[in-house]
Amino acid sequence: MTLPQPHGWLILDKPRGLGSTQAVAAVKRVLRKAGYGKVKIGHGGTLDPLAEGVLPIALGEATKLAGRMLDASKTYAFTIRFGEETDTLDLEGEVIASSDHRPPLAAVAAVCEHFTGEIEQVPPAYSAIKVDGRRAYDLARAGEEVELKSRKVTIHELIPPDTGEELWSTFAETAARPDLLDPTAPLVLADSVTLVANVSKGTYIRSLARDIAYALGTIGHVTYLRRTKAGPFTESQAISLDILEEIGNGARLEDHLLPLEAGLDGIPALTLDPESAQAARQGRVLSGMPHPDGLVLAISGNVPVALMELSGGTAKVVRGFNLTDTAE
């Protein structure tokens, strides 16, 4: 017997070496094995194979919100190794330049402020951006010159993580964490540094790492990249591939499936009576709504009906959900 189609979010802790498309395929395979048949699936933001961490997987009606997740801000922990630049700006590429200069730790801490806020950024040549109809990485792999235009992105926050000795032991000359405000503290040179960045959509961490290294008078590339948050979803909600496989072997999907509305954190709910809910499901405009303007999640009982835009007392459907009480 085929089980009812699930609706909601599975947050996968994508391991290194697995592409986002492969991760989606793994979820499809597991759900099919578990008896759910053909399930609509999408993901909320690509992670490169060399990156790991939070990959939101939308199921059923939640796929209608996958586009919103692509636009959401995301948080990454990443390590820059100084002294070598690769053509891909990460471990996968060939070394194209080297430098003996290592920046002082104090300078690394100071430069974070320079890269916070709205900045101009040139994407990596090895990226999925299209140039004359072709992916930039295809051109780069073919040995062609790739020139990409700079774009504005926003770095909401850029800080060293508070991980004590584990982080600071990566610095050359001493494993102790110096007091950066103490003028008598020893000058500590960084072979590598791990930072945490909360960024807008369209931000390339590899480009950010490259530009930070340039600003410090050296070069560098990313050796570690982990997404710790995507929109409202955090790594504490993420499941491993092993747990995913357990679902295919009979474990309860419901124990790990987050509701559709979990992807709409921060958007207020608007409770509709049955008549108004039916009208919204038909895509009709609701009037006489004494509520503040803005985006709301219209619900009937505990069931999401639609994402609606309120303006001047009227509510228009932005995205409707084909859910009923029996589906819940």
Side-chain angles (χ1 to χ4, degrees):
M1 183 181 73
T2 301
L3 297 171
Q5 180 164 193
H7 304 283
W9 300 89
L10 269 182
I11 312 305
L12 194 65
D13 192 338
K14 188 191 82 65
R16 209 165 171 174
L18 188 73
S20 298
T21 301
Q22 292 172 300
V24 169
V27 173
K28 284 183 178 179
R29 175 182 56 78
V30 163
L31 293 180
R32 190 164 53 246
K33 183 179 178 182
Y36 287 96
K38 190 174 182 180
V39 179
K40 291 190 295 184
I41 298 182
H43 67 74
T46 300
L47 274 178
D48 292 338
L50 285 181
E52 61 182 58
V54 175
L55 180 64
I57 305 290
L59 306 181
E61 289 295 285
T63 57
K64 295 178 178 180
L65 300 175
R68 290 182 57 83
M69 199 55 56
L70 296 177
D71 291 340
S73 64
K74 298 174 177 66
T75 301
Y76 298 88
F78 62 104
T79 299
I80 311 171
R81 180 183 297 162
F82 298 114
E84 291 183 336
E85 182 174 321
T86 66
D87 52 6
T88 60
L89 302 179
D90 60 20
L91 280 173
E92 190 176 36
E94 299 292 329
V95 175
I96 58 174
S98 60
S99 170
D100 293 331
H101 179 67
R102 299 295 183 272
L105 175 57
V108 175
V111 83
C112 288
E113 183 177 350
H114 175 74
F115 283 93
T116 302
E118 189 176 76
I119 65 171
E120 290 281 342
Q121 182 185 83
V122 177
Y126 284 81
S127 64
I129 294 173
K130 286 190 175 181
V131 180
D132 297 328
R134 296 177 63 189
R135 299 290 186 185
Y137 54 66
D138 288 332
L139 297 172
R141 287 168 184 159
E144 297 184 34
E145 190 75 22
V146 179
E147 290 189 13
L148 297 175
K149 295 180 180 178
S150 67
R151 54 174 63 183
K152 288 184 179 180
V153 298
T154 301
I155 313 299
H156 301 295
E157 192 173 30
L158 179 61
I159 55 173
D162 185 16
T163 54
E165 294 299 323
E166 180 182 350
L167 167 65
W168 300 94
S169 63
T170 62
F171 303 125
E173 300 190 5
T174 177
R177 178 172 179 171
D179 181 356
L180 299 182
L181 301 179
D182 181 0
T184 65
L187 181 65
V188 182
L189 302 181
D191 282 326
S192 63
V193 64
T194 300
L195 306 174
V196 170
N198 179 258
V199 302
S200 68
K201 73 167 186 174
T203 301
Y204 281 91
I205 297 297
R206 287 176 291 148
S207 292
L208 180 61
R210 173 200 63 202
D211 296 343
I212 287 173
Y214 286 171
L216 292 166
T218 185
I219 54 180
H221 64 282
V222 172
T223 59
Y224 170 80
L225 178 60
R226 178 174 178 80
R227 186 156 70 195
T228 60
K229 188 176 182 183
F233 301 120
T234 66
E235 57 187 342
S236 65
Q237 299 167 303
I239 64 171
S240 66
L241 285 183
D242 288 342
I243 292 177
L244 178 66
E245 290 295 339
E246 289 176 6
I247 294 171
N249 293 324
R252 281 170 44 90
L253 171 64
E254 294 80 7
D255 290 343
H256 306 289
L257 186 67
L258 301 179
L260 175 148
E261 55 267 32
L264 296 171
D265 185 44
I267 295 178
L270 173 65
T271 300
L272 301 181
D273 58 39
E275 183 180 350
S276 296
Q278 181 61 24
R281 287 190 174 102
Q282 295 171 352
R284 288 153 54 190
V285 176
L286 304 182
S287 58
M289 310 293 289
H291 301 278
D293 291 354
L295 203 60
V296 296
L297 173 63
I299 61 173
S300 176
N302 293 319
V303 180
V305 173
L307 197 59
M308 306 189 78
E309 184 73 38
L310 274 165
S311 178
T314 62
K316 295 182 180 180
V317 174
V318 175
R319 180 71 70 178
F321 304 117
N322 186 23
L323 298 171
T324 64
D325 289 315
T326 54
E328 295 292 295

